[in-house]
Amino acid sequence: MTPHRPWQARRLARRRRLRRWLRRLPRRATVGRYPVIRRFADAARARPWLWSFRHREVMVSIYAGSVLALLPTYGFQLLLGFALAVWLRGNLTVMTALQMVVNPLTIAPIYAGTWALGSWLAGAAGVDLGDGGDPRTHAAALVIGGIVAGLGFALVLDVLWRIGAWEAAVFRERVRAEAGGAFESEGK
């Protein structure tokens, strides 16, 4: 398909870029390829909300997935994300994508940041997490910071999703208006 208008070329380029980014994420047809969730592939295919991009499913996955991604659950994130997506009836693709935020390259700065945030918030609230040598102190600070940072991250993603949905609706209306005139003239 050759684009006739400049906005069509931009739209095609945007679609190609988005497909390239989403290629590695699980879809209903490819869920059996992923080692962590392969055992649950039949259960995943039987639940249509795991693949739905309606507003409710995406928002559930954005908020739950963002908090889960920043909690100290590295190594179990995909399994926990799958369980959360099934339990909360969210989108598995969005949930999985959010779990990829924490990876071997980003784990140290993210956990250091969530620990610092959690320690600061606990201190500001007057909660004494104990001495710095206790591992439970660090875990509590990581959990507190992970929850707060995850909710903040989710809020940013929520706003971006709403802007993208608005832009898509405006684009669909523009295409319908242009196509409507062409189809009406052909039918006469």
Side-chain angles (χ1 to χ4, degrees):
M1 178 179 154
T2 335
H4 299 290
R5 295 176 183 88
W7 59 267
Q8 287 177 326
R10 286 192 305 270
R11 184 182 103 210
L12 287 173
R14 205 175 327 156
R15 277 188 180 172
R16 279 190 217 106
R17 195 169 43 249
L18 184 62
R19 283 184 187 144
R20 195 172 38 238
W21 289 341
L22 297 177
R23 187 177 307 140
R24 292 183 179 89
L25 296 177
R27 293 184 306 276
R28 184 180 278 187
T30 64
V31 73
R33 286 192 225 160
Y34 297 87
V36 175
I37 56 178
R38 180 180 298 146
R39 294 183 181 115
F40 308 104
D42 292 332
R45 286 188 193 103
R47 289 166 172 79
W49 67 84
L50 291 175
W51 315 106
S52 172
F53 279 92
R54 289 183 301 183
H55 182 76
R56 186 217 172 271
E57 285 81 3
V58 171
M59 287 301 121
V60 164
S61 294
I62 283 176
Y63 280 93
S66 295
V67 171
L68 177 64
L70 298 181
L71 285 176
T73 57
Y74 187 73
F76 301 103
Q77 288 174 313
L78 284 178
L79 188 59
L80 291 172
F82 177 76
L84 267 177
V86 169
W87 183 49
L88 298 173
R89 299 178 72 95
N91 182 291
L92 183 63
T93 305
V94 172
M95 184 75 75
T96 304
L98 287 169
Q99 301 321 303
M100 301 301 164
V101 168
V102 177
N103 57 57
L105 296 175
T106 63
I107 191 168
I110 286 176
Y111 284 175
T114 58
W115 175 81
L117 177 64
S119 297
W120 179 79
L121 286 172
V127 176
D128 184 25
L129 292 178
D131 62 346
D134 188 10
R136 292 177 293 180
T137 301
H138 297 297
L142 274 171
V143 169
I144 293 168
I147 291 171
V148 172
L151 288 173
F153 182 50
L155 188 61
V156 170
L157 292 176
D158 184 356
V159 169
L160 291 174
W161 177 266
R162 289 173 192 266
I163 290 170
W166 173 79
E167 182 182 324
V170 168
F171 179 77
R172 274 192 305 272
E173 286 302 316
R174 184 178 350 148
V175 169
R176 281 188 193 134
E178 288 181 11
F183 290 129
E184 289 174 6
S185 63
E186 289 175 8
K188 291 183 180 178

